[in-house]
């Protein structure tokens, strides 16, 4: 009989930054200002790193918050602020490793193993065939229509952004994309898709 292992991860306590009473009067404001500028600029990239370390997006946000708190506490000791990303990544990794080591594991026996529901996924080979057929159909379009379709649907630009990039009006983009989509609908290679 197989015994499933259920885990529950306890959330780490977030350390409280030191009081603002320490050090020169202007230092806490300058430290907070430079730290908050760094977080605004690099936060999304660091969150992606945190998400790669955990399966749950909420846990990733907590992990990043804890690592940023540790970084804030050490802000004055970090000599080279060009290496901040490396410092935060190391804090993320160390924090995640500590969480993993402290996790509590409960074991219990049950009659049936809890099997995850399998969601049928598309065959990767079929997806590649469809992708190749779509790209061949796009390549058959006239240059201007192809450029607009690529900018709109592959690069995910709005009609206004596409018009600005190509130096044309929004109406021109709308009509050209409409004609291009009509040609793509009529392409015989894409008939199985419809």
């Amino acid at each position: 009989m197989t015994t499933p292992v259920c885990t529950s991860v306890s959330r780490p306590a977030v350390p409280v930054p030191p009081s603002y009473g320490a050090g020169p009067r202007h230092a806490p404001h300058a430290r907070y200002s430079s730290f908050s500028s760094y977080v605004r600029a690099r936060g999304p990239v660091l969150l992606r790193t945190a998400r790669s370390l955990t399966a749950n997006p909420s846990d990733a946000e907590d992990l990043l918050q804890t690592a940023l708190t540790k970084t804030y506490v050490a802000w004055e000791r970090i000599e080279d602020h060009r290496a901040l990303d490396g410092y935060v990544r190391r804090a993320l990794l160390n924090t995640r490793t500590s969480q993993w080591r402290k996790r509590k594991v409960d074991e219990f026996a049950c009659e049936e193993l809890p099997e995850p529901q399998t969601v049928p996924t598309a065959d990767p080979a079929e997806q590649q065939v469809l992708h190749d057929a779509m790209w061949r159909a796009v390549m058959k379009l006239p240059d201007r229509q192809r450029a607009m379709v690529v900018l709109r649907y592959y690069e995910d630009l709005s009609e206004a952004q596409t018009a600005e990039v190509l130096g044309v009006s929004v109406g021109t983009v709308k009509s050209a994309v409409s004609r291009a989509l009509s040609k793509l609908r009529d392409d015989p290679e894409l008939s199985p898709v419809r």
Side-chain angles (χ1 to χ4, degrees):
M1 178 170 181
T2 307
T3 304
V5 176
C6 297
T7 62
S8 74
V9 178
S10 60
R11 295 185 185 269
V14 177
V16 177
S19 70
Y20 286 133
R25 252 192 131 110
H26 66 280
H29 178 68
R31 175 170 62 172
Y32 176 77
S33 176
S34 63
F35 177 76
S36 60
S37 296
Y38 169 74
V39 171
R40 275 192 300 277
R42 301 299 294 162
V45 173
L46 296 170
L47 183 58
R48 281 195 299 272
T49 303
R51 284 186 177 155
S52 69
L53 295 173
T54 68
N56 185 334
S58 298
D59 290 343
E61 291 172 3
D62 291 344
L63 179 63
L64 178 59
Q65 186 67 39
T66 303
L68 288 175
T69 302
K70 290 177 180 180
T71 304
Y72 181 78
V73 170
W75 193 255
E76 300 296 324
R77 295 190 315 263
I78 300 172
E79 294 175 12
D80 185 7
H81 280 211
R82 293 174 298 178
L84 283 171
D85 282 0
Y87 185 92
V88 175
R89 284 188 184 106
R90 175 51 62 186
L92 284 168
L93 187 60
N94 290 346
T95 303
R96 183 64 185 131
T97 302
S98 295
Q99 290 172 349
W100 178 79
R101 286 180 180 152
K102 291 177 186 176
R103 77 175 191 241
K104 182 180 176 185
V105 178
D106 294 327
E107 291 185 13
F108 58 93
C110 56
E111 293 297 320
E112 292 183 34
L113 289 177
E115 297 296 332
Q117 294 286 337
T118 56
V119 178
T121 58
D123 181 14
E126 290 177 13
Q127 288 180 328
Q128 187 61 45
V129 167
L130 177 61
H131 179 272
D132 293 344
M134 178 60 81
W135 191 247
R136 281 192 302 275
V138 168
M139 294 304 290
K140 292 178 195 174
L141 295 172
D143 291 342
R144 188 172 179 172
Q145 288 179 2
R146 181 173 56 236
M148 291 182 190
V149 166
V150 167
L151 290 173
R152 281 286 289 127
Y153 298 105
Y154 283 88
E155 295 296 322
D156 202 25
L157 296 182
S158 67
E159 290 169 342
Q161 292 169 323
T162 302
E164 184 180 332
V165 168
L166 297 175
V168 297
S169 71
V170 174
T172 303
V173 171
K174 287 181 180 181
S175 63
V177 167
S178 176
R179 286 191 303 273
L181 292 177
S182 177
K183 288 179 183 178
L184 291 174
R185 281 187 206 101
D186 294 338
D187 191 295
E189 270 193 274
L190 298 178
S191 60
V193 177
R194 282 182 249 137

